Amino acid sequence: MKNVLIVVTNHATLGETDQANGTYSPEITHVISVLNEASINYDIASIEGGKAPLYGTDVEGDDVNLRILNSESFSNRINSTLPVSQVDIEKYAAIFYPGGFGLLSDLADNAEFARLAASLYEKGGVLAAVCHGPAGLLPITLSNGESLLASKQVTGFTREEEIDFGTIDHIPYLLEEKLARSARQYSKMQPWSEHVIEDGRVITGQNPASAHGVGKALVKQLKQ
């Protein structure tokens, strides 16, 4: 059985502001919907464990988001996430980082999850992320001392999308710039259009519209 570890933020605000934040709900629920359809099990973990903050739970017209949010299975997991100290990475074939601004403030420089992700990747596992989720890939260093991203083409939330979303002045840093400086190549499409990149066993999506595609790409690799 190939299990997926979903890694979420404990940071509940947008940067240093008091605006409620955390993980952007549709980016986790749409991927979970795809995992459920493929009968792939998942666990949710965070640095501290416990209840993880979500926002975007009231997006209009998103039936998938509402269905997953209202499921007992998801509620139990998101309200009692595994702390990183209790994660047995040997149980998982993939790690998925959903987006949300909170992750920029904790997972983007967390050494413990970075070590787990490097271990999983070097044993043939898959790493996937969407929107701001690729920030979770930034601290991953492989056993040869090289950054995971140094040889990878990736995408992630763009400067234009930050401007459109009204967050450009409140984020801790611009993810596009961090990825462009860290990865072999950073790629983006028109704002808010679906864009998913698979570079070997690293899968990234640009924005919320890319979450379903990231989920499909992840399932495809796990089924191979």
Side-chain angles (χ1 to χ4, degrees), residues 48-69:
E48 300 169 8
K51 185 174 182 178
L54 291 174
Y55 70 110
T57 56
D58 54 354
V59 175
E60 290 186 10
D62 191 336
D63 294 338
V64 171
N65 192 40
L66 286 174
R67 174 167 51 81
I68 299 298
L69 287 173

Side-chain angles (χ1 to χ4, degrees), residues 118-139:
S119 172
L120 177 139
Y121 182 76
E122 293 191 320
K123 291 178 180 176
V126 181
L127 300 176
V130 69
C131 200
H132 289 91
L137 306 177
L138 289 168

Side-chain angles (χ1 to χ4, degrees), residues 91-154:
K91 292 171 54 179
Y92 303 99
I95 294 176
F96 167 60
Y97 298 85
F101 296 95
L103 168 143
L104 299 178
S105 297
D106 63 1
L107 290 169
D109 59 5
N110 182 260
E112 293 167 291
F113 270 121
R115 280 194 297 272
L116 293 178
S119 172
L120 177 139
Y121 182 76
E122 293 191 320
K123 291 178 180 176
V126 181
L127 300 176
V130 69
C131 200
H132 289 91
L137 306 177
L138 289 168
I140 299 173
T141 302
L142 303 177
S143 57
N144 62 5
E146 291 184 5
S147 161
L148 168 78
L149 293 182
S151 63
K152 296 298 178 184
Q153 180 182 2
V154 298

